Amino acid sequence: MLGLSDYDVMEKQYQSLYKPLGKFLYANQSFRISLAFNGVQLAFFEKKHPEFIEILKQLMDRKQIEAIGGGYYDPVFPLLYPMDRSGQIDLLSSKLRYLFGKRPRGISICASIWDPSLVSSFSSSGMEYVILDESLISDEKKKGIPLLMADKGKSISILYDSVSLKPDVDTDVKKYLEKILDFIEKKEKHLKNEFFESEKVLCIQFKTDEMEKLLNSGWLSKINKELSLGEQKFELCTCFQFVKNTEARIPTYVSSGMSSEIATWAVKPYQPVKKIGRSDVTIFDLFQIYPQSKALFDRMVYVSQLVNQSHGDKIRKIHAREKLWESQIGDGFICTAKGAFVSSSFRQQAYKKLSDVEKILRECGNFEESVDNFDYNSDGYDEYVCRMKNFFAVINRKGGTIKEFDVMQSCGNFADNFTRSKEFEGCDDNYERGLFVDHLFSLQEFESYLKNTPSGNGIFSQKLYKPLKFNPLHQEVNFGVSALFEKKQAVNLRKKYIANSSGFSIQYIMKNESDQLLSAKFAVESSFAQVNFNPTNFNAFKLEIITDGQKREIDTKSSSKDLIDSGYLNDVEAFQLTDTDNGISFTFEPNEACGLSFFPIVFKRPEYLTGQPVDASMTFAASLFWDVQLEPGMEMEKYINFSFFPQHKKKKNSKNI
């Protein structure tokens, strides 16, 4: 699936695959094939290469090819509400009918991510068959006969993709055809009499890169020539031709699952786990392994509910739903090693679209800022959802942190952070990153922390904060948490968020509950994901600090550990972090001077073909910290004003460090 702005990529793909494929099919009338396009690709062909659309139409008129349907933006269908499922299918079907004069009869779905409820949705949208990965089908049902699945009075035929029989450019054509015949003959030995005389079918799907290799290597020409000799017992046909002309069906039930290729990556983070036989791994199992994908799903579901509940301006609501469909691109939810960076990019594009949807909905009625509490991410605990004029944020009880922060300027989710892994970054983070993560370190632990080395968890960052008071009228959330410092001293921390149109005010009150002096370092860490990260050309965040009333710009190419001896970061009155790509500045103003630590983190994940780690995402972590010297029973208070605004022009008298 390609994004809305990837016309350069699609142009290269057209020149390397679709243009020569069109020529090949036009010159070989006996070669029949089914083609699956998403709506973005069709829009590209219509705009840039209308001649290709005309060729496809002629090929369809002579019944040589078939255009398979699906979702316009190639979504993960089980994640969508029924209205969005049918809407995406109807949108693509309408596009195909407009371009070719025929509606699709079958459907191909993203990564074969399947759920039994899709039977009713697909059937109601006029789909007569669906293609699924063979790993979802039990072996006793694989007889070369179409399957039939019913649900609540609706039914649909199922063709399964025989991945195990997929050829490559080095496969000998004659031996390959003999292998297929042998495969079918073995299956026929176990068929009942009613199915024995029926024609058999093998459905094999090829990705664009696989088809490009077969075409450009001449392999397709070789198999077409072999079949044209008429010595074989089978021929090529489109999927619908077979479904239409064959009455035999084997009743079955296919439970939830996904293609074996994706399922292997949904057991352990970024590690393929080969599965034997039928796969029972679902998209929701994958979400448990990749929390970034789950977070996008939570946001998408929430915005979908806003769209469904919206009243008033119907035109704006229709526009909002169309934008919602754009955000549901499947690649944003499927996090595999093949697309560590690609998935991150699509995920941020989806967040931007979802922010656009919410802005449109706010224009439909009288929007009022609000802070609500409910189980936003279905983890069993209430979260605090902040819908403010300039941003959307979610405060999580786990760590008392902000785990989502979407600026309404359509920038993306700045809290979309990875967590360091020893396998890829050389160390393991013992907590989940976010905005306003609290740490209480011993002096020794803090020295390690300044060197970007994980040092315990700072005792608070993994704790479940208890709600003390919630005042939606004043947009105020109060938490409390208790812990043992160095496993012997009881410490209590109260934390209060007060939301406003452009940020938060955060109050901390720490109390020494032990009978000994508490000597430690208190740090508040905020990690900002680079929402426009490009591994070959990216701009780091710009950091400016105020000390002694003077603003200085700090070099952020390396971490603050290289500047510790300079003393510039020891007595910071405020600092400003700027995302130069999007023109957004984040300002932190503590009630009293603090120390400042920062370090950029480039996260690496394995590349699919080589298995070698490649740059996949980047986060900029900044921490405010203070000395803690508390006598037994005593308290200390810290206060941080956090706000953001469009970037201002750089002043000429700013100094660089």
Side-chain angles (χ1 to χ4, degrees), residues 290-547:
Y290 304 102
Q292 294 81 19
S293 297
K294 174 62 165 57
L296 175 60
F297 169 66
D298 295 330
R299 174 66 168 149
M300 187 269 290
V301 169
Y302 179 76
V303 174
S304 297
Q305 293 172 343
L306 293 180
V307 173
N308 294 334
Q309 297 167 4
S310 176
H311 301 286
D313 192 328
K314 292 184 178 180
I315 300 300
R316 280 195 173 97
K317 183 174 180 179
I318 292 172
H319 182 43
R321 190 173 293 279
E322 291 174 349
K323 281 286 184 182
L324 173 64
W325 293 344
E326 291 181 25
S327 75
Q328 293 169 341
I329 176 173
D331 287 298
F333 299 92
I334 303 173
C335 190
T336 68
K338 184 176 182 180
F341 163 67
V342 175
S343 296
S344 177
S345 175
F346 279 119
R347 194 166 59 248
Q348 288 293 353
Q349 289 181 32
Y351 277 118
K352 294 176 184 179
K353 295 295 181 184
L354 291 170
S355 292
D356 289 338
V357 174
E358 187 162 357
K359 284 191 292 185
I360 295 171
L361 294 176
R362 291 180 177 187
E363 297 172 356
C364 291
N366 297 321
F367 169 73
E368 294 183 0
E369 295 183 333
S370 64
V371 178
D372 298 314
N373 66 319
F374 57 91
D375 192 359
Y376 170 83
N377 59 9
S378 302
D379 65 349
Y381 304 107
D382 281 355
E383 282 74 41
Y384 296 84
V385 178
C386 308
R387 294 186 70 202
M388 311 308 289
K389 178 181 178 180
N390 297 316
F391 68 91
F392 172 87
V394 178
I395 305 173
N396 199 307
R397 284 182 57 192
K398 295 180 179 178
T401 65
I402 296 175
K403 298 305 293 290
E404 180 165 344
F405 192 80
D406 302 279
V407 176
M408 287 293 108
Q409 194 170 313
S410 302
C411 298
N413 178 13
F414 284 98
D416 181 37
N417 294 293
F418 282 74
T419 300
R420 284 186 294 184
S421 166
K422 187 174 183 179
E423 181 178 0
F424 304 119
E425 283 80 46
C427 60
D428 291 316
D429 283 327
N430 298 309
Y431 57 93
E432 294 182 5
R433 295 188 176 276
L435 306 186
F436 303 102
V437 180
D438 310 321
H439 301 288
L440 188 65
F441 294 117
S442 67
L443 298 181
Q444 183 177 359
E445 288 175 335
F446 187 68
E447 289 299 319
S448 297
Y449 180 76
L450 289 178
K451 298 176 182 177
N452 313 336
T453 303
S455 49
N457 58 25
I459 77 171
F460 292 131
S461 60
Q462 287 186 329
K463 291 287 185 178
L464 181 67
Y465 282 45
K466 295 181 180 180
L468 299 179
K469 179 183 177 182
F470 172 50
N471 189 330
L473 182 62
H474 295 153
Q475 298 162 356
E476 178 182 317
V477 180
N478 287 262
F479 292 117
V481 63
S482 298
L484 287 178
F485 179 66
E486 295 192 317
K487 299 181 180 181
K488 60 182 180 180
Q489 286 186 272
V491 183
N492 178 269
L493 180 68
R494 300 197 303 276
K495 184 175 186 178
K496 178 168 69 175
Y497 286 95
I498 302 176
N500 57 66
S501 297
S502 297
F504 291 92
S505 295
I506 302 96
Q507 179 192 43
Y508 292 95
I509 298 178
M510 184 184 299
K511 183 177 181 180
N512 181 4
E513 300 280 6
S514 73
D515 57 1
Q516 298 178 1
L517 173 69
L518 177 64
S519 180
K521 289 280 189 177
F522 178 56
V524 179
E525 175 188 309
S526 294
S527 297
F528 290 85
Q530 182 141 20
V531 296
N532 297 88
F533 177 72
N534 185 319
T536 58
N537 181 25
F538 69 91
N539 296 316
F541 284 94
K542 184 175 74 171
L543 176 64
E544 295 172 294
I545 66 171
I546 295 179
T547 57

Side-chain angles (χ1 to χ4, degrees), residues 541-547 550-556 568-569 572-580 584-588 596 598 620 645 647-657:
F541 284 94
K542 184 175 74 171
L543 176 64
E544 295 172 294
I545 66 171
I546 295 179
T547 57
Q550 187 176 11
K551 180 185 288 188
R552 293 182 173 88
E553 184 173 334
I554 305 296
D555 182 6
T556 58
Y568 285 119
L569 304 180
V572 175
E573 298 166 8
F575 72 91
Q576 180 174 292
L577 192 64
T578 301
D579 175 6
T580 55
I584 299 292
S585 292
F586 302 95
T587 299
F588 292 77
L596 177 63
F598 67 85
F620 190 90
F645 47 86
Q647 181 181 3
H648 296 296
K649 292 182 179 180
K650 183 178 177 181
K651 294 182 180 180
K652 294 182 179 180
N653 60 353
S654 294
K655 296 182 179 180
N656 294 328
I657 296 177

Side-chain angles (χ1 to χ4, degrees), residues 2 8-26 31 33-37 41 44-45 49 52 55-56 59 205-218 220:
L2 297 170
D8 290 342
V9 177
M10 285 189 279
E11 177 63 34
K12 292 179 181 178
Q13 199 174 75
Y14 171 76
Q15 296 295 338
S16 62
L17 171 60
Y18 291 112
K19 184 177 180 179
L21 179 61
K23 292 180 180 179
F24 172 80
L25 293 173
Y26 199 85
F31 198 98
I33 191 173
S34 297
L35 299 174
F37 300 107
Q41 290 173 308
F44 167 76
F45 294 143
H49 297 285
F52 183 63
I55 291 175
L56 293 179
L59 294 173
Q205 291 190 105
F206 296 97
K207 299 176 184 177
T208 53
D209 57 337
E210 295 170 338
M211 179 58 74
E212 182 179 339
K213 292 177 181 178
L214 292 175
L215 176 64
N216 295 334
S217 67
L220 293 185

